[in-house]
Structures are given as C-alpha cells and as structure tokens.
Amino acid sequence: MGSYARIIAGRLLHVEMVFVGLLLRLAVFLSVFPGAYVDGATREFGDGRPLPLSACEWHQGTLLTNTSTGPVESIEDCRFVVRDPEFLDILGSSPKLVELVKTDAHEGGAWYPDKDEFYFSSNKLTSSTGQIKTDLKKVNLRTRNVTNLSAPENNTPNGMVLDNDGNLVVCQQGSLNQGGFIQRINLKTMKNTVVADNWFGVPFNSPNDAVVKRDGSIWFTDPSYGSVQGFRSTPKVNNQVYRISNIGVVDAVADGFTQPNGLAFSHDEKHLYVTDTGFAVGVQGKYDATKPHSITVFDVGVDGFLTNRRLFASVGVYDGSYPGLGVPDGIKVDTQERVYVSTVDGVQVFNQLGKPLGLIRQPSVSNMGFAGRNLDTLYILNDTTISYVQLQVRAAGLKYAGSSH
C-alpha cells in the first residue's frame, strides 16, 4: 500500500472511530434520558407517548456525580415539565401558556361568570397616609381591561372565592389598628358586609385564603404573616384553620401549622387539603429549611369536623435551584381529584395520592384560579402578570361558576 493510500485509510479509520464513539455516547444518553429521543419532529416521553413541543421530561439527578436534577432539555425551551405520563392527559397535545395581561397580581383568583371577570388582589402597597394596603382588582377576560376597585386605605385583601350565590368572599388581613376579617361583597350591588372578625372574642391574625363548601360554610386559613410583615399587631391566638357556619358561628377546625396558607376541598368534599408555607419566613429572600413546605390532608366527617391528619405531599423545586424547597401557596382541585399547587417554580400538579405529575413552569406563582365555560382554563398569578393555559380537565369546588346563569 502506498503512502497516500495509507494516509487515506488512517483518516477513514479515525472517522470510523469517532463515529462509533458518538453512537456509544448517544446510546448512553438515550438510556439515561429516554424522553429526549427525536425522530424527525417526534419527541417522546419515557413510555413512548409523544411530548408536546413546549414540554420536556424530568430526570432525577445525583449530587455525587454532579448530574443535575430537572428537565432533560434546556429549561428555557421547556414550559411544561413531565414527571408522570398522567400529566400528558392533563396537558393535551398542544398546551400553550399565554400572557393575558401585565399587572400587579398576587393573590385571589376568583372567576365571576356573569361578567366574565377574574378577581384578585395586589402585592402590598403604601397608601397616601403611609399605611400598608393591598388593592382589590378585577380583569375582564374578554377585553383584558384591569379595574382597581375602591376600598378603605387600611384594607388588605388577600385570598378570595365566590360563595354559592355568586358573592365574593374576601380574606381581609387587617391592619395595625384593625383586626383581620372575612368580608362578603355582592358583585351586583358592590355592597359589602363583615361575615366574621373573631373567634371567641379573639381577633383573627391575618386571614389568608378561603374556600366555600357546598353547604355554604366558609373555611379559611389564618397565619401570622401580617404581624411578621409589620402591618398587623402581635397575634393573640395560634395560627389556625376556621369554619364559619351559615349563621356566622366560628369554629377552629385545625391547628399545628407554622403558616397555614391555601386550602381546598376534594371534589367529593371528603378531604380537605391545607398548605403550610412556614419555610417562607415572610420577609423577602429569607427562608427556614427546618419549617414546613408541605400539603396536609384531612378526612372531613359528616359533622364537618376534621380527622386523620396526614402528609399529602412535600413540595420541592423541579430544577433543584435555590431556595431548593417549594413554597406551596394557593391550591385547587379538579374533578379527577388531582391537586394543583402554586409555588416558586410554577404550578405543580399531584394525583389524588400525592404523586407528583408535572409542572407548569412560571416563576414566583402565588395563586391561581380556574375559569371558562368548562372550568378548564387555569389563570396563573405571579405578581407581575396573569397568564393562562387551557387544560383537559374540569375544576372542582366552584358551585356557582359551574352552574348556568
């Protein structure tokens, strides 16, 4: 063989070895990340089901080998992170997260079907008199016009929900000179009344979020964030969960939380889910890893009292980023008993047993609410925007919105 031929043969052998090496690397990659396989335009989950273009598969990493935990693909290309194939049933074939409007939207998330309006509250603001306040706001889902509703300067609305007659029930957190209370607003006349403001004569701390049962009773959480953040006085009672009967009697139904936050009934109302955001101290950027970042579930008795308290899920962050632990705030449930929780990396979804299914990725989500004729569109609040995604589900626990008007 001549020298020229030997050179050519050597180069071919080198190319062949490089090609074989690449194939071996690809084989290893696919064995670790089976959902990343691309065949033309087809992307598949680990079980062979097609992945929507904006979705990616989640992978468990290891700290010892410095293998990252989180989406297989670039996080910037991934809006929906899939941990379990059931999440694909929720998303459908082509999910899309769409920005509705840029606005200061922090809590609430209550849809009023009569006018296709979505009610929410703002972040903390400083009033003209120097007091801390928050605004009660609404956005028309057709026109996208945002309206700021007039209210006393010391009002600090937070979570809210429609009652069974279409009135807006608002958690008012109170101020330094006024205790927290539960408010009912008639959305036809805008007349408001106080439903309850104390338990055995003791003022509430800072009511945070509420839910209404089919029997008309109002259930709400009462953490001490108002005091921690400097706009409420020192708490005079433990942080508890309360129930207000149809005649206005207030009962404490659960305690033992660090900071009880969101709450929701299962579709059959046999279970109550309560989030605890004790991990979030209440001061921007400060966390306590020894405190809860979890969802507790109770059985609901026929008498309305709670039993069999247990952990439903502990909430982390899907890509393992700082602070590494979740802050499960708002919580909703669909008719298949799946649970939706707003947290620092978006909306995390669990099945009825607490198994993580996937993530709708959106930073700093504080709350959310379902809306639309079929109650299948999830509106997501993250302090600066309201966005929405249409899902293949139907929300539970929305008696008024779920009936025709």
Side-chain angles (χ1 to χ4, degrees), residues 38 108 135 197 238 280 348 378 398:
V38 178
D135 287 334
D197 64 0
N238 192 18
Q348 296 187 20
L378 185 64
L398 302 177

Side-chain angles (χ1 to χ4, degrees), residues 288-355:
D288 185 344
T290 67
K291 295 297 190 292
H293 42 91
S294 57
I295 307 165
T296 297
V297 60
F298 299 86
D299 293 339
V300 183
V302 293
D303 57 359
F305 285 91
L306 306 178
T307 60
N308 194 20
R309 175 183 181 140
R310 58 202 183 274
L311 176 70
F312 175 75
S314 188
V315 179
V317 177
Y318 263 57
D319 65 359
S321 61
Y322 183 82
L325 302 176
V327 184
D329 196 330
I331 184 168
K332 308 298 178 194
V333 178
D334 70 22
T335 56
Q336 299 300 309
E337 308 292 5
R338 291 174 295 226
V339 176
Y340 301 72
V341 179
S342 59
T343 183
V344 293
D345 58 353
V347 177
Q348 296 187 20
V349 186
F350 302 81
N351 74 4
Q352 60 182 339
L353 300 177
K355 180 181 181 180

Side-chain angles (χ1 to χ4, degrees), residues 91-405:
L91 296 177
S93 60
S94 55
K96 186 178 297 184
L97 186 64
V98 181
E99 183 179 290
L100 176 76
V101 64
K102 292 184 185 299
T103 186
D104 180 358
H106 182 62
E107 286 282 0
W111 180 55
Y112 183 47
D114 297 39
K115 295 185 177 180
D116 201 17
E117 295 171 336
F118 193 74
Y119 284 78
F120 59 98
S121 60
S122 73
N123 270 296
K124 294 188 297 298
L125 307 166
T126 302
S127 71
S128 59
T129 60
Q131 290 183 295
I132 297 294
K133 62 169 289 185
T134 58
D135 287 334
L136 178 62
K137 306 166 76 173
K138 67 178 181 179
V139 58
N140 185 291
L141 298 184
R142 293 190 302 272
T143 66
R144 305 191 180 197
N145 288 333
V146 176
T147 303
N148 196 353
L149 304 175
S150 60
E153 284 202 341
N154 61 349
N155 271 17
T156 49
N158 200 66
M160 60 198 72
V161 64
L162 285 191
D163 69 14
N164 297 338
D165 297 317
N167 302 303
L168 188 67
V169 174
V170 182
C171 292
Q172 292 282 358
Q173 300 172 90
S175 62
L176 288 174
N177 54 19
Q178 176 180 278
F181 59 97
I182 302 300
Q183 179 184 54
R184 178 182 278 118
I185 303 175
N186 184 318
L187 294 180
K188 293 181 172 64
T189 65
M190 298 310 292
K191 179 182 178 181
N192 69 81
T193 56
V194 175
V195 180
D197 64 0
N198 74 92
W199 174 67
F200 285 104
V202 180
F204 299 137
N205 297 332
S206 45
N208 188 279
D209 211 350
V211 66
V212 177
K213 208 163 177 275
R214 291 192 190 102
D215 65 7
S217 58
I218 299 170
W219 301 56
F220 69 97
T221 55
D222 189 35
S224 55
Y225 277 132
S227 175
V228 172
Q229 295 169 4
F231 63 89
R232 280 285 288 122
S233 56
T234 302
K236 294 179 172 59
V237 66
N238 192 18
N239 297 337
Q240 302 186 124
V241 178
Y242 295 96
R243 181 189 63 208
I244 308 173
S245 74
N246 288 326
I247 59 172
V249 175
V250 180
D251 286 306
V253 293
D255 67 359
F257 298 95
T258 301
Q259 296 287 7
N261 203 312
L263 75 173
F265 284 104
S266 61
H267 180 48
D268 59 12
E269 296 190 339
K270 292 182 179 180
H271 303 101
L272 177 69
Y273 303 95
V274 182
T275 68
D276 192 337
T277 51
F279 169 63
V281 174
V283 179
Q284 185 69 30
K286 290 189 176 182
Y287 304 95
D288 185 344
T290 67
K291 295 297 190 292
H293 42 91
S294 57
I295 307 165
T296 297
V297 60
F298 299 86
D299 293 339
V300 183
V302 293
D303 57 359
F305 285 91
L306 306 178
T307 60
N308 194 20
R309 175 183 181 140
R310 58 202 183 274
L311 176 70
F312 175 75
S314 188
V315 179
V317 177
Y318 263 57
D319 65 359
S321 61
Y322 183 82
L325 302 176
V327 184
D329 196 330
I331 184 168
K332 308 298 178 194
V333 178
D334 70 22
T335 56
Q336 299 300 309
E337 308 292 5
R338 291 174 295 226
V339 176
Y340 301 72
V341 179
S342 59
T343 183
V344 293
D345 58 353
V347 177
Q348 296 187 20
V349 186
F350 302 81
N351 74 4
Q352 60 182 339
L353 300 177
K355 180 181 181 180
L357 301 179
L359 168 74
I360 302 170
R361 196 177 70 82
Q362 179 80 327
S364 305
V365 176
S366 50
N367 219 320
M368 64 200 152
F370 280 97
R373 181 178 298 274
N374 298 316
L375 296 178
D376 59 355
T377 304
L378 185 64
Y379 286 81
I380 299 171
L381 292 70
N382 80 332
D383 291 346
T384 59
T385 64
I386 299 177
S387 302
Y388 65 91
V389 56
Q390 186 172 8
L391 303 172
Q392 307 304 305
V393 303
R394 183 176 177 84
L398 302 177
K399 182 177 178 181
Y400 185 81
S403 59
S404 57
H405 304 286

